[in-house]
Amino acid sequence: MKSDTPNHQVLQALVPALAKATGLSTDAVAAQLGRPPKPEMGDYAFPCFAYAKANKVPPPAAASQLAEKLAADATLAPLVQKVEAAGPFLNVRVKPGELCASIIRMIEEAEGRFGESAAGAGKTVVIDFSGPNIAKPFHVGHLMSTILGASLGRVFRALGYAVVGVNHLGDWGVQCGFQFLAWQRAGPVERETQLAERGLDYLCDLYVDINAPAREVSVLEAELADKEAVVNPEERERIKKRIAAAKPEADARDVAARELFKRLEDGDPELKQLWERFRKETLRYLQKSYDRLGVKFESDAGEGFYEPQLKPLLAELQASGVAVASEGALVIPMDDGPPKPGKERKPPFILRKSDEATIYGTRDLAAALYRKKTYGFHKNLYVVDVRQSTHFQMLFKALAKMGHAWHKDCSHVAFGIMQIKEGDTVLPMTTRGGRMIPLYELLDRMVQIVRDIVREKNRDLSADKAAQVAEAVGVGAIIYWVQARRRASNFVFDWRQATDPNGDTGPYLQYTHARACSILRKSQAQPGSWRTADLRLLVEPEEAAVVKALEGFPAAVRRAGDEYEPSLIATYLLDLSSAFGNFLNKHRVLDSPPALRQARLALVDAVREVLAKGLGLLGVAAPGEM
Ligand code: ARG
């Protein structure tokens, strides 16, 4: 248990006592204190290796010596039941009532801030997440990035950091030219209504439609190239004719689109204005889904934002020799020194292609520099799927070559691939006849699916409440599922499994939380009246198991931040819920004798608080009634 774990009475006695007995610092003791493998062995375990080494005794003997010292320590007597050597470890059993009292008190005294810390005070974390493109649909990767990035933002805020969430929109490139072209060809009234109503969906349609001839050509050419697929010479002739028919239009559009994009790059005011509108409409449209996911950004500077910074940046890189010309392009070499025999050289980081165009990576380089200058970040994170690993490795290396020691503060928070199960087949979820399922539709579908569950679980809910709960459960199920396992893992999204209120799911945690709320409501006790309860009445092993789970919350939050791994909070909450479920199965709360009832209400309230807080960090809503 690290020293930033909030202290409670038991640790405040135990840690100094161990420090005194071992001669170690209290920080060192706190950092080493852990749990024995089984609860029967005790509540805390302390490894005696450091003490053994310093005193030149074998660790088991060290453990015995320490056990004796601690048993004789009068400051521990009121709190500790037993101290026992177990091999090289020292196992400490706290008096059960004292353990519960000590931990619940700590949570109450934190006044709603249990799990938070000031570790990041004065430091800023930049989190680049979501990052959809304005000519291509919002896909599963963007959904995962949105959910994970938003959670990391909340985790870092809880740890005291300032957070700048950036939506690095893919809003720059030849695709803009294609959209302009399609826009110019669309009916002037029609396009306005479509853009206002369908936002990004419409822009994607424009892009898909304008590219139809080019797509046709490439599909037909692929068919021809596969000589075995089309053997019949007549058929081959027919295909060639179709290509010949489609090609002029495809080529003409390509030329026109490139020309339009060039004009945008050169600062054409009219196109610039249209571009701004597309951006604004896209963001406005996406925000509706972002709102449902509880997501906000501090900045929506997308790729286009960095465009004006590129020329001077490239000039500077060239002047300093970091960038070099290579086959007409401008690049930062990634492979230094002479070529190694038998080893292929790594491709360079491209800044400008031979056709003069800058690319995605160029803008990412400018963005990193801009973020350092603007936010002075402590960490600069990119929540992007694993397929872009090489890109980010090269980006960070490019920064290193420019002499920026802070390249080490940049991390690619990569995540795996999610697929969707539809019936018996596994799909890359977003396709529907070549188009993509928009994000809101995915959320709607989930909400639709949980409607029956919500009704079945509680028939007393009003229609309004039931709709709210279905929204919370449906959206919460997706949000949780995406964070339920280590982010690097690939997984399959199964609509039913993710919503199972009895599985390891968001809905299960939401119901556990609502159950705690319902107990408190039914008690009709004044909220907070349990703060005066005699918590030492909580002596049952199931109660001790719950408070021990509660005690682990700050560490789960801290580790989630250290490892960029919200799943650690997700699994933590499952453990807490299962301990709480065991307690509720075995013991009565509302029917207990008055003093015990109050103490148990305090326990229930502490669980409720931590569940709400943990779900909140994950972005999962926690309705009080379901
Ligand atoms: N727009 C990119 C994509 O759809 C993601 C952007 C990630 N952020 C970044 N700074 N490169 O793949």
Side-chain angles (χ1 to χ4, degrees):
M1 282 165 216
K2 276 249 186 95
S3 44
D4 62 340
T5 305
N7 267 334
H8 53 82
Q9 202 194 352
V10 167
L11 289 182
Q12 277 159 4
L14 183 59
V15 170
L18 274 167
K20 194 171 132 213
T22 55
L24 296 168
S25 72
T26 50
D27 277 350
V29 168
Q32 286 181 53
L33 204 55
R35 291 242 191 268
K38 287 194 212 122
E40 302 83 71
M41 300 167 74
D43 301 309
Y44 296 99
F46 182 75
C48 303
F49 304 103
Y51 175 81
K53 199 167 172 205
N55 293 280
K56 301 197 170 65
V57 283
S64 306
Q65 280 179 21
L66 285 175
E68 262 172 55
K69 281 199 199 176
L70 289 186
D73 189 326
T75 61
L76 292 181
L79 300 170
V80 168
Q81 194 165 57
K82 197 165 76 180
V83 184
E84 211 173 33
F89 286 90
L90 196 62
N91 288 340
V92 180
R93 151 92 49 223
V94 181
K95 292 182 180 168
E98 297 296 347
L99 186 69
C100 289
S102 178
I103 291 170
I104 295 174
R105 210 72 342 126
M106 160 178 69
I107 296 172
E108 288 177 351
E109 279 164 12
E111 302 288 352
R113 314 200 62 165
F114 181 58
E116 298 179 20
S117 91
K123 295 180 188 144
T124 298
V125 178
V126 174
I127 307 180
D128 177 317
F129 70 108
S130 199
N133 305 312
I134 75 171
K136 282 185 239 143
F138 194 100
H139 61 65
V140 194
H142 298 125
L143 175 66
M144 290 188 65
S145 169
T146 306
I147 290 173
L148 290 167
S151 286
L152 289 176
R154 287 181 294 260
V155 167
F156 280 111
R157 283 194 184 92
L159 294 172
Y161 293 85
V163 172
V164 181
V166 184
N167 195 356
H168 189 81
L169 218 58
D171 56 10
W172 200 258
V174 190
Q175 76 268 20
C176 301
F178 280 100
Q179 282 173 324
F180 296 153
L181 183 63
W183 177 262
Q184 289 173 351
R185 295 161 56 118
V189 182
E190 161 83 2
R191 67 190 186 192
E192 291 297 334
T193 15
Q194 290 274 355
L195 182 63
E197 269 169 29
R198 300 179 50 238
L200 180 59
D201 287 344
Y202 178 58
L203 292 175
C204 293
D205 285 356
L206 284 184
Y207 184 65
V208 170
D209 291 344
I210 200 76
N211 275 302
R215 224 177 12 260
E216 191 185 354
V217 170
S218 70
V219 168
L220 292 171
E221 280 176 347
E223 266 178 51
L224 269 193
D226 187 352
K227 293 222 168 56
E228 275 158 46
V230 192
V231 268
N232 181 340
E234 276 167 41
E235 177 66 17
R236 294 188 70 83
E237 263 329 292
R238 259 202 301 280
I239 294 179
K240 278 186 195 153
K241 279 216 183 93
R242 281 171 61 199
I243 293 179
K247 197 140 181 15
E249 181 62 18
D251 290 348
R253 289 184 187 186
D254 193 70
V255 170
R258 282 174 197 279
E259 156 71 23
L260 284 166
F261 179 58
K262 181 90 185 47
R263 273 171 52 197
L264 174 69
E265 277 186 306
D266 294 343
D268 180 298
E270 216 172 297
L271 290 177
K272 192 83 199 213
Q273 207 186 356
L274 187 57
W275 178 79
E276 293 283 5
R277 276 192 67 200
F278 285 0
R279 241 182 81 76
K280 219 179 77 226
E281 286 302 330
T282 303
L283 286 168
R284 199 174 60 88
Y285 163 92
L286 286 170
Q287 194 57 46
K288 285 187 241 160
S289 295
Y290 285 146
D291 283 345
R292 294 175 76 182
L293 296 168
V295 172
K296 278 205 284 293
F297 298 92
E298 277 65 39
S299 160
D300 53 32
E303 291 188 45
F305 175 83
Y306 302 100
E307 190 56 24
Q309 304 169 22
L310 300 186
K311 266 212 180 85
L313 171 62
L314 298 193
E316 184 193 312
L317 287 171
Q318 220 168 352
S320 65
V322 172
V324 298
S326 160
E327 297 166 28
L330 185 68
V331 305
I332 302 182
M334 289 283 118
D335 223 351
D336 301 306
K340 294 199 186 77
K343 253 196 133 186
E344 245 182 79
R345 283 182 85 79
K346 290 196 190 102
F349 187 76
I350 299 173
L351 298 169
R352 197 175 59 213
K353 296 188 296 177
S354 49
D355 66 2
E356 293 289 294
T358 56
I359 60 174
Y360 181 59
T362 327
R363 294 186 276 279
D364 256 333
L365 190 62
L369 297 164
Y370 175 84
R371 288 172 195 172
K372 184 63 189 176
K373 190 177 77 200
T374 311
Y375 307 116
F377 58 69
H378 168 71
K379 292 252 179 274
N380 179 30
L381 309 179
Y382 298 85
V383 187
V384 183
D385 79 59
V386 67
R387 286 170 301 190
Q388 295 194 27
S389 289
T390 312
H391 165 71
F392 286 108
Q393 274 167 22
M394 288 166 85
L395 172 66
F396 304 156
K397 187 157 178 192
L399 292 167
K401 290 193 126 196
M402 290 172 71
H404 298 300
W406 50 264
H407 74 92
K408 288 201 195 66
D409 305 327
C410 300
S411 296
H412 175 205
V413 179
F415 55 85
I417 311 295
M418 160 172 160
Q419 287 178 304
I420 298 274
K421 196 160 174 225
E422 291 280 3
D424 291 332
T425 45
V426 171
L427 297 179
M429 106 161 169
T430 38
T431 51
R432 186 182 53 189
R435 311 249 159 171
M436 304 275 173
I437 302 175
L439 174 61
Y440 67 85
E441 217 174 285
L442 176 79
L443 299 179
D444 286 347
R445 179 151 170 209
M446 206 68 194
V447 170
Q448 184 64 39
I449 287 177
V450 301
R451 249 175 220 154
D452 298 338
I453 302 176
V454 168
R455 194 150 312 142
E456 193 184 302
K457 280 250 165 189
N458 186 350
R459 298 194 177 270
D460 299 338
L461 285 181
S462 67
D464 256 14
K465 261 270 165 61
Q468 275 171 31
V469 171
E471 171 76 15
V473 173
V475 174
I478 297 188
I479 297 181
Y480 184 85
W481 201 251
V482 162
Q483 305 178 90
R485 62 204 67 62
R486 293 249 163 197
R487 61 182 155 76
S489 19
N490 298 330
F491 66 98
V492 173
F493 181 80
D494 176 321
W495 303 86
R496 295 276 155 204
Q497 208 182 343
T499 50
D500 181 356
N502 303 312
D504 288 350
T505 62
Y508 160 66
L509 294 172
Q510 289 174 315
Y511 276 105
T512 308
H513 169 265
R515 202 171 162 198
C517 293
S518 147
I519 295 170
L520 296 171
R521 251 192 331 268
K522 286 195 188 130
S523 78
Q524 301 200 342
Q526 192 67 21
S529 62
W530 43 75
R531 283 199 163 206
T532 52
D534 181 1
L535 300 169
R536 277 170 307 204
L537 297 172
L538 303 172
V539 295
E540 300 292 346
E542 292 78 17
E543 290 162 340
V546 172
V547 297
K548 282 199 261 181
L550 288 171
E551 188 184 19
F553 183 54
V557 179
R558 177 169 39 76
R559 282 188 54 208
D562 286 350
E563 299 177 32
Y564 313 136
E565 193 63 87
S567 68
L568 295 173
I569 296 175
T571 42
Y572 165 81
L573 292 174
L574 288 181
D575 290 344
L576 173 61
S577 290
S578 113
F580 185 54
N582 288 340
F583 160 69
L584 292 178
N585 285 342
K586 191 108 186 251
H587 303 284
R588 322 282 309 169
V589 176
L590 298 178
D591 308 339
S592 305
L596 180 58
R597 185 181 194 263
Q598 281 301 96
R600 286 189 170 159
L601 288 177
L603 178 72
V604 172
D605 192 35
V607 171
R608 176 206 57 76
E609 179 183 324
V610 172
L611 282 176
K613 194 126 199 199
L615 286 170
L617 289 174
L618 295 178
V620 176
E625 193 183 359
M626 289 175 61

